[in-house]
Amino acid sequence: MATFLYKLGRLAFRRRWLMALLWVVIFCGAGFAASSAPAPPADTFSMPGTESQKAFDLLEERFPDASADGAGARVVFRAPEGEKISAPAQKAHVAALVAQLKKSPQVASVSDPFMTKAVSKDGSTAYAIATYNVPAAMVGDEAHDALDDALAKARDSGLTAEAGGDAVKIDAAMGGTGEKIGILVSAVVLVLTFGSVIAAGMPLLTALIGVGIGISAITALGATLGLSSTASTLAMMLGLAVGIDYALFIVSRYRAELTEGRDRADAAGRAVGTAGSAVVFAGLTVIVALAGLAVVNIPMLTKMGLAAAGTVAIAVLVALTFVPALLGFAPVKVLRRRDRGQFSGKPLSARQQRRAAKRAEKDARSKPNLGSRWASYVLRHPVAVLLLAVLGLGAVAVPAASLELGLPGEGTMAPDTTQRRAYDMLAESFGAGFNGPLMITVEGQDAADAAKRVGEHLAERDGVAAVTPATPNEAGDTAILNVVPATGPTDAATENLVRSIRALADGFRADTGAEVLVTGQTAMFIDFSQTLDDALLPYLALVVGLAFLLLMVVFRSVLVPLKAALGFLLSVAAALGAVVAVFQWGWLADVFGVDQPSPIMSTMPIFMIGVVFGLAMDYEVFLVTRMREAYVHGARPAEAVVTGFRYGGRVVAAAAAIMISVFSGFIVEDNDFIKMIGFGLAVAVLFDAVIVRMTIVPALFALLGEGAWWLPRWLDRLLPNLDVEGEKLSRTAPAERVAPRRRESELVD
């Protein structure tokens, strides 16, 4: 592989105009396709194979006029203190609001709370349901404004009026602030790392082009593949982070090869052949982790994972081809300004090259950088450093034991939102379970009679506050009724009630001959969480197993990928602990803008496992490939560790700082899920890069010694030798080198 990538890097460097033109054409073509493509579909949520989804599909088939996928708004009114909502004056205000809502754009119908008996027992509160003829994602600004205007007029009349439901506008769209902050901080880190504006600009430029192509492709294929606009969120976050890091790694290796006296084209080829090999395998681990989300069998997560995996694949291709092409346009200006003038001397003889290499090695030993000094310190105190790092991460991971999973709802929104106020008003006046009713579907020959008998039985069960009369369809083969739990939607008792009703399904079928299914938002949330729980271990086994095999091929070792996987588990546990402490317990909530502490989103653990595993392997590959390269070329295990940190420590630290800044930028977004995943990924990268990869890894290498690179001979013969460390390149005839002027004058005999 190293030889192939070496040739690819040289080709891109020498044919830079052609390569740059090719990527510009791809970028423009993807942008044109995105601009001319149909609008992406609205967000749809489905869970194939679950009872909730089966019941929902049945309702769409048997009640086609019910607009099952249409948006809805539940408008709640409360009379002034001491008055009744049914008083003539208040009733007139409610009637005026209902009439205004009926005239609003995209509204199909609005219920009259007095005709539907949607009035609380104390007479203070009522609610009306507005049904829209389009899904929530397609409710336009005019419809949102009309609802806001109706609520404002009701409040002016003296009523307390709030609205909940998916038709109500949520000010939580991605505003682009996160990306801007991440790019700005990344630029500062790159300038400090390289000491060159041009060198810093290359990773930013290539990352933006890669992300632009990826997002444009997602938009262009949205209507064809059913990719909604939310599919691009994760792709943007990861594509930007890994795009910068991959380019950073190759540019850094090119600078190192150049300062060792390599010819410019040869330096570019060797940078792609060695660092590019690490980029390929690092990218593959991320792609495996993201594509593995398909095992969860939730189409929304599958599409998000595949879209992000495609963007990461584009980032890898950009790093391998476009980055060396850009190096061809500025082969010397990527160096610090004070170093540029040294690279205009004549080529050195073979003897002079050898002496220059020895002198460079001697200088490195006599003047170790911070990475070398840190590695040497860890090698001298491996046990103490290892214990301190493991215990520290273990302490941070403690809150993860109290992890409570759930899905975002109106009950977890900020207290000052109209959705949260409507939710609280309904809970106070109608009961905690009113915000999460269960919808029971009854399918059979005489569905109305069967549903009536089912309802009578359910009304007598503990935990049920009320059961509505059954509503059959025109054919009479299906009926629906609503069950209002006595507890809230996120209460464990409500989940137990759902499970108990489903356990009675066989008994209902025997008594009535009808099939009984439970659905509704609360039931779907329960099924969603259960689906994720069931898929977690298979997903973890798939991702870790495939990545273990991949890393075993890369490092020709059993213990190196094993400790990489164990280190990942430790860092992701610590990251989940930090997420629980901030978003569930409310620690430092004001600092991170958490309005309402609440259970952690059910998707968070599986996202953390997938994304963090891929990123953790990035640093493992970046750092350990340089150690492996030194070890293969004859260095002792301890020397290989120091060499890896001397050349890779600063790059990995810069890469981690960039990823942390990119992910941290998303913490300022209003969307709760984006805020949470941005925080979780940022702390996970911090823990994994700084503590696991740069502290625990060298400590383990020090303790394992030669055993770290152990691989059974039979397995060594079975595994393909991809030459990731570039050993074959070192055996080829040395290419012509150009050394700095000062070295040439010092070494000429």
Side-chain angles (χ1 to χ4, degrees):
M1 173 175 284
T3 303
F4 168 76
L5 293 178
Y6 169 80
K7 295 178 180 178
L8 180 64
R10 283 182 63 92
L11 177 65
F13 185 91
R14 292 182 178 277
R15 299 289 184 267
R16 47 190 171 273
W17 284 105
L18 179 61
M19 190 63 68
L21 179 62
L22 177 63
W23 279 109
V24 170
V25 169
I26 295 174
F27 180 80
C28 295
F32 176 78
S35 63
S36 58
D43 287 315
T44 57
F45 183 79
S46 62
M47 296 178 293
T50 63
E51 181 172 325
S52 294
Q53 188 63 44
K54 183 179 179 181
F56 186 80
D57 295 339
L58 179 66
L59 290 176
E60 284 194 318
E61 177 187 348
R62 303 293 173 84
F63 292 85
D65 298 330
S67 298
D69 60 345
R74 191 158 51 179
V75 183
V76 188
F77 326 95
R78 178 169 288 173
E81 188 173 355
E83 299 185 27
K84 301 290 185 181
I85 197 69
S86 58
Q90 309 305 333
K91 193 172 183 178
H93 295 321
V94 172
L97 187 148
V98 171
Q100 183 177 351
L101 284 178
K102 288 181 178 180
K103 299 177 183 179
S104 299
Q106 300 179 314
V107 172
S109 63
V110 182
S111 65
D112 186 327
F114 302 105
M115 294 182 64
T116 58
K117 299 181 180 180
V119 181
S120 63
K121 291 182 179 180
D122 61 4
S124 65
T125 308
Y127 66 90
I129 296 178
T131 303
Y132 290 71
N133 52 28
V134 295
M138 298 181 65
V139 177
D141 292 337
E142 292 184 1
H144 285 144
D145 294 340
L147 178 59
D148 293 340
D149 184 58
L151 293 175
K153 288 184 178 180
R155 292 165 186 155
D156 292 340
S157 68
L159 294 175
T160 300
E162 305 294 345
D166 56 0
V168 182
K169 180 172 59 178
I170 299 178
D171 296 324
M174 292 288 291
T177 305
E179 302 97 301
K180 296 175 183 176
I181 294 176
I183 291 173
L184 179 61
V185 177
S186 299
V188 174
V189 173
L190 288 169
V191 170
L192 293 176
T193 301
F194 286 133
S196 166
V197 174
I198 293 178
M202 284 186 183
L204 290 174
L205 176 62
T206 54
L208 290 175
I209 288 179
V211 169
I213 294 172
I215 300 302
S216 297
I218 293 171
T219 304
L221 298 174
T224 304
L225 302 180
L227 301 175
S228 66
S229 57
T230 56
S232 62
T233 301
L234 185 63
M236 181 183 300
M237 187 183 295
L238 283 180
L240 187 61
V242 301
I244 295 174
D245 279 3
Y246 295 164
L248 164 67
F249 201 52
I250 290 178
V251 172
S252 177
R253 186 58 184 260
Y254 170 80
R255 284 161 48 111
E257 295 288 345
L258 196 64
T259 54
E260 289 180 6
R262 302 278 180 194
D263 172 74
R264 296 169 184 177
D266 186 49
R270 287 178 177 267
V272 176
T274 53
S277 297
V279 166
V280 169
F281 282 96
L284 282 176
T285 57
V286 179
I287 291 170
V288 166
L290 293 172
L293 289 172
V295 304
V296 183
N297 197 29
I298 294 179
M300 180 188 69
L301 294 183
T302 300
K303 292 175 182 179
M304 289 184 69
L306 292 177
T311 305
V312 172
I314 293 172
V316 172
L317 293 176
V318 168
L320 297 178
T321 56
F322 194 33
V323 170
L326 290 181
L327 289 172
F329 289 109
V332 176
K333 290 185 178 180
V334 295
L335 300 173
R336 297 177 185 272
R337 183 179 296 274
R338 65 174 179 266
D339 297 331
R340 295 174 188 172
Q342 302 172 5
F343 290 85
S344 59
K346 297 179 181 180
L348 299 180
S349 65
R351 182 181 180 186
Q352 290 171 336
Q353 291 177 23
R354 289 194 298 270
R355 294 187 64 181
K358 290 181 180 179
R359 183 180 179 86
E361 185 178 354
K362 181 179 179 181
D363 289 344
R365 283 198 296 262
S366 62
K367 300 178 181 178
N369 58 17
L370 181 60
S372 301
R373 294 196 298 271
W374 170 248
S376 299
Y377 176 81
V378 175
L379 291 173
R380 291 195 303 269
H381 311 283
V383 175
V385 170
L386 182 62
L387 289 177
L388 183 62
V390 171
L391 292 177
L393 286 180
V396 178
V398 168
S402 302
L403 177 68
E404 295 179 10
L405 298 178
L407 286 175
E410 294 178 349
T412 61
M413 288 185 174
D416 59 346
T417 60
T418 185
Q419 293 95 328
R420 175 61 184 275
R421 288 195 289 258
Y423 181 97
D424 292 340
M425 289 169 63
L426 289 171
E428 293 168 4
S429 300
F430 295 90
F434 191 81
N435 285 294
L438 307 176
M439 183 178 291
I440 312 297
T441 66
V442 181
E443 182 188 17
Q445 291 183 349
D446 189 2
D449 181 65
K452 180 180 179 181
R453 293 164 61 183
V454 170
E456 290 173 351
H457 179 84
L458 293 178
E460 298 175 355
R461 293 192 64 81
D462 294 337
V464 175
V467 179
T468 64
T471 302
N473 65 345
E474 292 183 2
D477 58 359
T478 307
I480 57 175
L481 58 125
N482 289 325
V483 173
V484 179
T487 50
T490 59
D491 199 296
T494 304
E495 181 176 348
N496 293 332
L497 176 63
V498 171
R499 300 188 189 282
S500 67
I501 295 176
R502 287 174 171 172
L504 298 172
D506 291 339
F508 288 141
R509 185 181 296 109
D511 294 341
T512 64
E515 183 179 12
V516 177
L517 301 173
V518 183
T519 187
Q521 187 182 61
T522 300
M524 292 191 75
F525 282 4
I526 292 172
D527 286 347
F528 182 73
S529 297
Q530 186 62 49
T531 300
L532 291 175
D533 290 344
D534 293 341
L536 189 59
L537 287 180
Y539 173 71
L540 186 62
L542 173 69
V543 171
V544 175
L546 289 177
F548 182 89
L549 294 176
L550 198 62
L551 293 177
M552 193 160 55
V553 172
V554 174
F555 297 127
R556 317 294 298 178
S557 167
V558 173
L559 295 180
V560 170
L562 178 62
K563 68 177 181 56
L566 294 177
F568 149 74
L569 294 175
L570 187 58
S571 60
V572 79
L576 281 174
V579 170
V580 169
V582 174
F583 291 89
Q584 182 178 311
W585 292 357
W587 293 4
L588 302 176
D590 294 337
V591 175
F592 295 102
V594 180
D595 297 320
Q596 179 71 28
S598 60
I600 305 304
M601 294 185 198
S602 298
T603 53
M604 191 65 186
I606 208 157
F607 264 121
M608 290 282 288
I609 289 173
V611 177
V612 175
F613 186 81
L615 299 180
M617 296 308 103
D618 274 3
Y619 302 119
E620 182 76 11
V621 171
F622 287 173
L623 192 61
V624 181
T625 47
R626 199 67 193 244
M627 299 180 192
R628 171 72 182 175
E629 184 178 341
Y631 180 76
V632 168
H633 292 162
R636 294 192 303 273
E639 292 176 342
V641 172
V642 175
T643 300
F645 271 82
R646 180 166 67 243
Y647 292 107
R650 186 176 184 182
V651 178
V652 169
I658 289 169
M659 279 204 179
I660 292 171
S661 65
V662 171
F663 294 142
S664 297
F666 289 91
I667 298 175
V668 304
E669 297 290 347
D670 294 327
N671 187 291
D672 290 338
F673 178 67
I674 301 302
K675 183 190 294 288
M676 187 180 296
I677 199 170
F679 173 83
L681 293 179
V683 297
V685 169
L686 176 65
F687 294 152
D688 195 88
V690 176
I691 300 179
V692 174
R693 306 303 153 190
M694 301 189 72
T695 303
I696 294 178
V697 165
L700 287 174
F701 269 113
L703 295 175
L704 294 174
E706 293 278 355
W709 305 108
W710 171 78
L711 184 69
R713 291 184 179 180
W714 63 269
L715 186 57
D716 186 43
R717 291 192 296 267
L718 290 177
L719 294 178
N721 187 2
L722 300 179
D723 190 28
V724 177
E725 63 278 349
E727 183 180 5
K728 293 181 181 179
L729 292 180
S730 65
R731 293 201 299 262
T732 60
E736 185 179 74
R737 302 190 185 194
V738 177
R741 243 187 244 141
R742 60 181 177 81
R743 291 187 180 176
E744 179 182 356
S745 61
E746 292 171 352
L747 295 173
V748 171
D749 292 336

